[in-house]
Each structure stands twice: as structure tokens, then as C-alpha cells.
Amino acid sequence: MSRLLRILPLVLLVPLLVATGATSAHADPVPAQGQAWPRCGSAPDTDGKYCIVSVTRDGTAVPPVDTGTPGTYDDPFVDRPDAGTVRFGLKLTTVTGSGSTSTVDVSPDHTWVYTVDTGSIRPVELYGNLRNAAFSYGGNAAKGHTFTVTFQPTPVAWLLSGECSVFGGCGDDTTVADTVRAGFATGFVSNDASSGLTAAQIADRQGYLNVFNAEDAYWVYNGATNSLMMRMANPHLRSPGIPASGSFQTRIPDAMLIDELNVPDPAGLTARSLTVVRTGSGAVPITLTRVKGAIDIRVKGITFSTPEYSIHPKPSVPVAPLMGSLKRIDN
């Protein structure tokens, strides 16, 4: 079974802040779509669910924006774009005596860590416009599910005024981006409930991560070739004469490697165990790192437009099966 997930230019929009009404003293409802989530313990939160547990920048706690004191503030946000997805991101908000303004153009030089309580929404998969990401999850339905994401904002160079998609392309090699950010950060954590996957396949994907700096992207498992496919779209030029440079990072959980990609012992994988091919260009160099319960693959220096990459285990992966670990789900 294959699955399609896409990111659209709408991620540039600053989340809509919707006024909240009175909430129960016993249990907060699931926030409305687009409604900004509070810090846990601050109104309108009453039960520690559907709220931001903590935010740090380079290891230092980041407080909420002080709307009563003029200045420019780092402004982390979390909201819910649909029933099973939690969106998080970063903007800069400037408070003046007459109000406030925000921009999504942020510094790319800091490392952020968000921990979020998602209540009944079970975190499974992370994707978005980020760099150097890590993703973990915890909690339960009774206490509230949680996720923690570590990331750096990513430079972007997008073509928001014209067609730019993985299906329609993004101009030719003279196309110049019209929206350039030194740093940008928006990510999505999905419960995969509407993905069409079985419950076992969704469980295998807990901790699955795909992040990139392209304007549009999709990734899908191709059972016919036993490969993960990644396609992105971006304009060729960041500015006149200056090529745009792309990157992507995927973190594949061990359970997914075993059940879908037929890797007997993921702990033994190295960069030589996998082939990563750019369609039409052959194999490309990658960085593969073993992390707890997963492998982390990174490709940098991507040129555009609409490159497609295939990640495929070699037929003779030089590792031995683990007793009791080999299982398979039909696709």
C-alpha cells in the first residue's frame, strides 16, 4: 500500500488566532482548527492537555510573548490544521504601544526544542520545513500523548506567485524565487489516522521523520521496488545567478525497515547497505547515522527542479537476521 503526503505553500501563513471561550474545569476540548495552543498551566488550559509543555532555544527556556512590554520576541506557536495533525512553528513578533506585528523570517542559527501535549492525538510521523531534526513521543491517551521535536530553522527560496509543485514542476533553469527566507520553521506531527495505512503499519511508523527546505514535497513507499520515494519541487535560482540549494533528512524507524523494506537487522546498516538514487542521475552520496531505534539519512546540495530520490536496501544487506525480529506486512 502506498501513501501520499504533501506540504503546500500555505505553511507560510501565520496561524490564525481565534478567541477562546470558557472551558470545562475538568477537561479541555480539542482546540478548534487554527486556534493557537496555550502554554500548559496558562489560560485557557485547565488540565495540561492540548498545550505547549516547554520551549527552549539553545538550551534556554523561552517565555511567551509579553504583549504589555514593547520589544521583539521569539514567538513559538502550535495549532491544529486538521483532526489528526498538530502544526508547530516559529515567528518573530514585535510588540509596540499600538499593537503587534509578526514575521516568519527567523534566524537559522539556533537549536529549538518543543515539547507539546497533544491530548488524544497520538503522535506518529513528523514532516515539514526544518533542518537537523529529531522527534520522540510519549504519554498515553489517559494522561495525554506528547511529542518532543528538536530542530533548526531552514533557509528557503520559494516561488509563491506561480506554479511550483511535485506534479507540475517549478519553472525552468532560469526561474528565480520570489520568496526568500534566511530561516523558516514549520512542522507537522500526524497521527496517520487518515493515511489509509493499517494499524500495524501506523505503529511501525512511530518516529518516522521527513524534513526538507523545498516548497512542495511528497514521500511514499513503493512496494513494487521495495523503495522509499521522495520528490521535491523548488525554483532553480535563489536570486539571479545564484542557484537554490536543497536538502532533505529522513529518519526511518527500525520497525518500518523490518516490515516494509525487509531489512533483517537494522542495527547493522551502514551507508553502503542502502542505495540512494536520484532519478535520471544515478546514485548520490548520503550521510547515514544510527540513532536510537532508527537510521537517519541526509542528502544535501540538491539542485532543482522536481528531483526524485529512491532509497532502497541492497539485495545482500550484510547483516544477519535477529531471532524473533523478522516479520512482514503485506503491501
Side-chain angles (χ1 to χ4, degrees):
M1 176 180 293
S2 64
R3 182 168 58 106
L4 180 66
L5 290 172
R6 300 185 61 209
I7 259 196
L8 300 176
L10 290 176
V11 298
L12 274 180
L13 299 178
V14 174
L16 177 65
L17 302 182
V18 179
T20 60
T23 59
S24 164
H26 301 290
D28 296 340
V30 180
Q33 293 184 22
Q35 177 177 310
W37 290 19
R39 300 293 179 105
C40 296
S42 300
D45 172 56
T46 65
D47 63 0
K49 297 181 181 179
Y50 307 110
C51 56
I52 303 171
V53 177
S54 64
V55 177
T56 65
R57 187 187 78 170
D58 300 331
T60 299
V62 177
V65 173
D66 181 354
T67 56
T69 303
T72 298
Y73 298 87
D74 291 315
D75 192 1
F77 64 82
V78 174
D79 66 5
R80 186 178 63 90
D82 59 44
T85 304
V86 177
R87 172 171 52 185
F88 65 91
L90 179 65
K91 54 186 175 177
L92 284 178
T93 293
T94 299
V95 176
T96 65
S98 58
S100 64
T101 58
S102 295
T103 176
V104 292
D105 197 347
V106 300
S107 170
D109 299 327
H110 302 289
T111 298
W112 292 83
V113 181
Y114 292 18
T115 298
V116 179
D117 189 300
T118 59
S120 62
I121 303 170
R122 182 185 183 191
V124 173
E125 181 172 341
L126 167 71
Y127 57 97
N129 293 113
L130 309 166
R131 288 185 303 142
N132 300 325
F135 170 51
S136 61
Y137 51 88
N140 54 52
K143 296 180 179 180
H145 293 288
T146 65
F147 72 79
T148 297
V149 59
T150 302
F151 67 90
Q152 292 178 311
T154 184
V156 296
W158 292 350
L159 185 68
L160 297 183
S161 63
E163 173 66 21
C164 190
S165 77
V166 293
F167 301 107
C170 201
D172 58 23
D173 59 8
T174 67
T175 302
V176 180
D178 60 19
T179 302
V180 177
R181 311 289 190 203
F184 177 79
T186 296
F188 300 82
V189 175
S190 173
N191 65 3
D192 281 354
S194 62
S195 63
L197 298 167
T198 67
Q201 289 169 324
I202 291 174
D204 284 346
R205 279 168 166 72
Q206 279 211 287
Y208 187 32
L209 176 159
N210 286 287
V211 297
F212 39 84
N213 68 345
E215 180 175 336
D216 191 23
Y218 85 79
W219 50 101
V220 64
Y221 172 66
N222 186 331
T225 61
N226 191 36
S227 301
L228 293 175
M229 310 297 294
M230 178 77 172
R231 181 183 290 185
M232 295 168 286
N234 235 48
H236 285 263
L237 300 177
R238 180 179 179 87
S239 58
I242 306 298
S245 179
S247 63
F248 85 79
Q249 171 194 356
T250 184
R251 184 165 290 189
I252 309 171
D254 288 348
M256 190 175 173
L257 289 165
I258 293 169
D259 292 344
E260 289 199 5
L261 292 171
N262 307 309
V263 175
D265 181 6
L269 288 176
T270 68
R272 294 183 180 182
S273 308
L274 300 170
T275 300
V276 179
V277 173
R278 178 168 177 167
T279 302
S281 300
V284 298
I286 65 169
T287 300
L288 186 149
T289 305
R290 179 72 194 169
V291 297
K292 183 179 180 180
I295 59 169
D296 188 284
I297 298 173
R298 305 187 188 204
V299 179
K300 298 181 180 180
I302 297 169
T303 55
F304 294 100
S305 174
T306 325
E308 182 177 74
Y309 291 85
S310 170
I311 303 172
H312 176 73
K314 293 182 178 179
S316 56
V317 176
V319 291
L322 287 176
M323 292 300 295
S325 71
L326 186 60
K327 54 183 178 177
R328 176 158 184 169
I329 295 174
D330 291 335
N331 294 297

